[in-house]
Amino acid sequence: MGLLGETLTQILIPVAAIVGIGFALLQWLLVSRVRVSADPDSGLDNGCSDRLIEEEEESVDIHGVAAKCAEIQNAISVVKGFSIKSEPCTYNKENLCKPALANAIFSTVAFLLGALTSVLSGFLGMKIATFANARTTLEARKGVGKAFITAFRSGAVMGFLLAANGLLVLYISINLFRLYYGDDWEGLYESITGYGLGGSSMALFGRVGGGIYTKAADVGADLVGKVERNIPEDDPRNPAVIADNVGDNVGDIAGMGSDLFGSYAESSCAALFVASISSFGIGHDFSAMSYPLIISSMGIVVCLITTLFATDLFEIKDVTEIEPSLKRQLLISTILMTVGIAIVSFVALPSEFTLFNFGTEKTVKNWHLSICVSVGLWAGLVIGYTTEYYTSNAYSPVQDVADSCRTGAATNVIFGLALGYKSVIIPIFAIAIAIFVSFSFGAMYGIAVAALGMLSTIATGLAIDAYGPISDNAGGIAEMAGMSHKIRERTDALDAAGNTTAAIGKGFAIGSAALVSLALFGAFVSRAGITAVDVLSPKVFIGLIVGAMLPYWFSAMTMKSVGSAALKMVEEVRRQFNSIPGLMEGRTKPDYATCVKISTDASIKEMIPPGALVMLTPLIAGTFFGVETLAGVLAGSLVSGVQVAISASNTGGAWDNAKKYIEAGASEHARSLGPKGSDPHKAAVIGDTIGDPLKDTSGPSLNILIKLMAVESLVFAPFFATHGGFLFKWL
């Protein structure tokens, strides 16, 4: 043992650190004594006292030099953006708003709250999913209806918890922030935008990391287990089967939950920010300001009533009734919510008011906003039903993809890609109509509440979405527990419907992401002081074309990450089958833990580069090239990202259900392509494997790319507007 004991070591290290900080503060104090002031009557030193001026400088105007020094310092200093003094408000110059430093601190607090709520949403979702999967399997022994109710109620737990938590934390944050901000609603809601940024930041890692985790396991399990060894899906002999089931919860439950929470938080924040600089905020009308929150509150009540239709009012007696029941949930919630929106609009809003519209004021009536929210709501339903048509094996598009497997995997891939591209058409028209109508009636605020309308039934949407992975896990448990073929048929029927509803959930997420991003884009343009985004300007156009490229770069990263992780998984699964005696005969258990570790390590390591691309792009574009170029980047990524996300998600969903169509053999056509292990089935498995990273990693993650870049740009807009674009200033 050395001369320095533990006690002395514990004292010396923090003392040295404190001394260093104290010495730094002392040096700062000494430097601060050199005054830089433009006021000749201040009585201060001004940095150029007569006693200290050299002989040759005496003829120079002392105070003029001091003023020039102060001016140059202010031009250089970035710290001015974080003033500790109250300043005139950006949009209402007659009023004083809280200091920029306060906004930065409260934005950080809001960011942390959003991040915490997002993580909590994902955690609670995974807890209920793992709690419910075995219970769903056991209920399947009593009939498909009992199993359906258990799976759906479990999904509803996640849906309602997420919707209620997001609303409650946002409401409490606003009221706590009001204790400091008082009547400065512009500053309050500008700082609240950090809530959306925090939610989406965590969603990025949940979506990308979760997607890499689940698909590495899924691809490895399918390629070796089904194609090479010809064993059933979720067979306990497959070493990757546990990692696959864990991955369903990580990617589809935690990822989707945090994704939709991010959309909800961002659409609320965008609407609240635009409202704060409109007549609502100027007139301090709290009820009208809280219109987005009241819409969400009504949504929870409507979804509660809707859930009773699936669990208590109608009983599932046959497997053919599962999918229609889930579709009814969407329709019932949309119809009831339309009535709810009308009631809220007439109760919470004045009959006539003005909304901020890029520097002008737009006069709006309360029924105008009712139409804006409703058009977003119904656009969501159209996107959901279109997604279902293109991904469900009950309709001709997926059946055509399954039929193409007769001639091998190549034609299956060609048909699947064509289906994905075609499936973009109707959703894009729905989004375009929603944007035009909502902007015409309510300007950028109208688009923000249209996004909120699409998400107003988030509790039902998430219940339907979470039902899918719970059913998938239940089927896996039935297979691994060696339950009868009849039980497995029931869980397979639940799972098949769950695949379609998962695709519907992804459609909602993508559609809402498009509207949310556009609303955030409008808020960014307003906050950055841009009067118009001119695509003929070279500054804007270079941003536009680079932004349109970003979804492809991002998708390439995530696809390659899944491929690299799947390669390791395939090698490990093959190694175990070849080296563990008695594994194929079922006499020995495989090493599940090694496969879980491969997925875990890959997801943590591989999600960093895509995350860095999303987080750094707005910072680099705004700082080096300015707000106009950044506006181009955001517009380009939005327009390109939505198309790529829809086609990727639907292509993958169609390939998955084409495989299940052949496996189920429910029709004469399906039986002619089967059974499991036939050449058409092997071709379908290859298509499904290619589609896995498309539908569960790259496609859904693109929602977060376009949302996160937009909300990050909004949060940093004041800094970019003041200090950004210095590369162009030098040219």
PDB file of all heavy atoms in Angstrom, residues 94 170 369 373 723-724 727:
ATOM      1  N   GLU A  94     -44.235  44.835 -28.241  1.00  0.00           N
ATOM      2  CA  GLU A  94     -44.618  45.735 -27.146  1.00  0.00           C
ATOM      3  C   GLU A  94     -44.376  45.096 -25.777  1.00  0.00           C
ATOM      4  O   GLU A  94     -44.210  45.793 -24.783  1.00  0.00           O
ATOM      5  CB  GLU A  94     -46.100  46.125 -27.249  1.00  0.00           C
ATOM      6  CG  GLU A  94     -46.461  46.919 -28.501  1.00  0.00           C
ATOM      7  CD  GLU A  94     -46.690  46.026 -29.707  1.00  0.00           C
ATOM      8  OE1 GLU A  94     -47.030  44.846 -29.520  1.00  0.00           O
ATOM      9  OE2 GLU A  94     -46.473  46.518 -30.831  1.00  0.00           O
ATOM     10  N   LEU A 170     -47.345  16.540 -20.037  1.00  0.00           N
ATOM     11  CA  LEU A 170     -47.342  17.811 -20.764  1.00  0.00           C
ATOM     12  C   LEU A 170     -48.163  18.864 -20.028  1.00  0.00           C
ATOM     13  O   LEU A 170     -47.739  20.023 -19.881  1.00  0.00           O
ATOM     14  CB  LEU A 170     -47.903  17.592 -22.181  1.00  0.00           C
ATOM     15  CG  LEU A 170     -47.856  18.783 -23.139  1.00  0.00           C
ATOM     16  CD1 LEU A 170     -46.442  19.321 -23.282  1.00  0.00           C
ATOM     17  CD2 LEU A 170     -48.412  18.389 -24.507  1.00  0.00           C
ATOM     18  N   LEU A 369     -61.482  25.088 -37.408  1.00  0.00           N
ATOM     19  CA  LEU A 369     -60.530  24.190 -36.748  1.00  0.00           C
ATOM     20  C   LEU A 369     -61.123  22.800 -36.560  1.00  0.00           C
ATOM     21  O   LEU A 369     -60.397  21.796 -36.578  1.00  0.00           O
ATOM     22  CB  LEU A 369     -60.095  24.758 -35.396  1.00  0.00           C
ATOM     23  CG  LEU A 369     -59.108  25.918 -35.435  1.00  0.00           C
ATOM     24  CD1 LEU A 369     -58.552  26.202 -34.056  1.00  0.00           C
ATOM     25  CD2 LEU A 369     -57.963  25.663 -36.404  1.00  0.00           C
ATOM     26  N   VAL A 373     -59.062  19.389 -37.734  1.00  0.00           N
ATOM     27  CA  VAL A 373     -58.793  18.195 -36.921  1.00  0.00           C
ATOM     28  C   VAL A 373     -59.460  16.971 -37.549  1.00  0.00           C
ATOM     29  O   VAL A 373     -58.858  15.890 -37.637  1.00  0.00           O
ATOM     30  CB  VAL A 373     -59.287  18.380 -35.472  1.00  0.00           C
ATOM     31  CG1 VAL A 373     -58.930  17.168 -34.622  1.00  0.00           C
ATOM     32  CG2 VAL A 373     -58.677  19.634 -34.850  1.00  0.00           C
ATOM     33  N   HIS A 723     -26.772  33.302 -35.484  1.00  0.00           N
ATOM     34  CA  HIS A 723     -25.346  33.014 -35.668  1.00  0.00           C
ATOM     35  C   HIS A 723     -25.053  32.045 -36.811  1.00  0.00           C
ATOM     36  O   HIS A 723     -23.879  31.785 -37.098  1.00  0.00           O
ATOM     37  CB  HIS A 723     -24.770  32.420 -34.375  1.00  0.00           C
ATOM     38  CG  HIS A 723     -25.048  33.246 -33.160  1.00  0.00           C
ATOM     39  ND1 HIS A 723     -24.471  34.466 -32.949  1.00  0.00           N
ATOM     40  CD2 HIS A 723     -25.869  33.034 -32.095  1.00  0.00           C
ATOM     41  CE1 HIS A 723     -24.910  34.975 -31.803  1.00  0.00           C
ATOM     42  NE2 HIS A 723     -25.763  34.123 -31.265  1.00  0.00           N
ATOM     43  N   GLY A 724     -26.074  31.464 -37.449  1.00  0.00           N
ATOM     44  CA  GLY A 724     -25.844  30.435 -38.457  1.00  0.00           C
ATOM     45  C   GLY A 724     -25.464  30.988 -39.815  1.00  0.00           C
ATOM     46  O   GLY A 724     -25.580  32.185 -40.097  1.00  0.00           O
ATOM     47  N   LEU A 727     -20.612  30.189 -43.333  1.00  0.00           N
ATOM     48  CA  LEU A 727     -19.885  29.831 -44.559  1.00  0.00           C
ATOM     49  C   LEU A 727     -20.317  30.713 -45.726  1.00  0.00           C
ATOM     50  O   LEU A 727     -19.487  31.171 -46.506  1.00  0.00           O
ATOM     51  CB  LEU A 727     -20.132  28.360 -44.902  1.00  0.00           C
ATOM     52  CG  LEU A 727     -19.214  27.304 -44.278  1.00  0.00           C
ATOM     53  CD1 LEU A 727     -19.529  25.939 -44.843  1.00  0.00           C
ATOM     54  CD2 LEU A 727     -17.753  27.628 -44.501  1.00  0.00           C
TER      55      LEU A 727
END
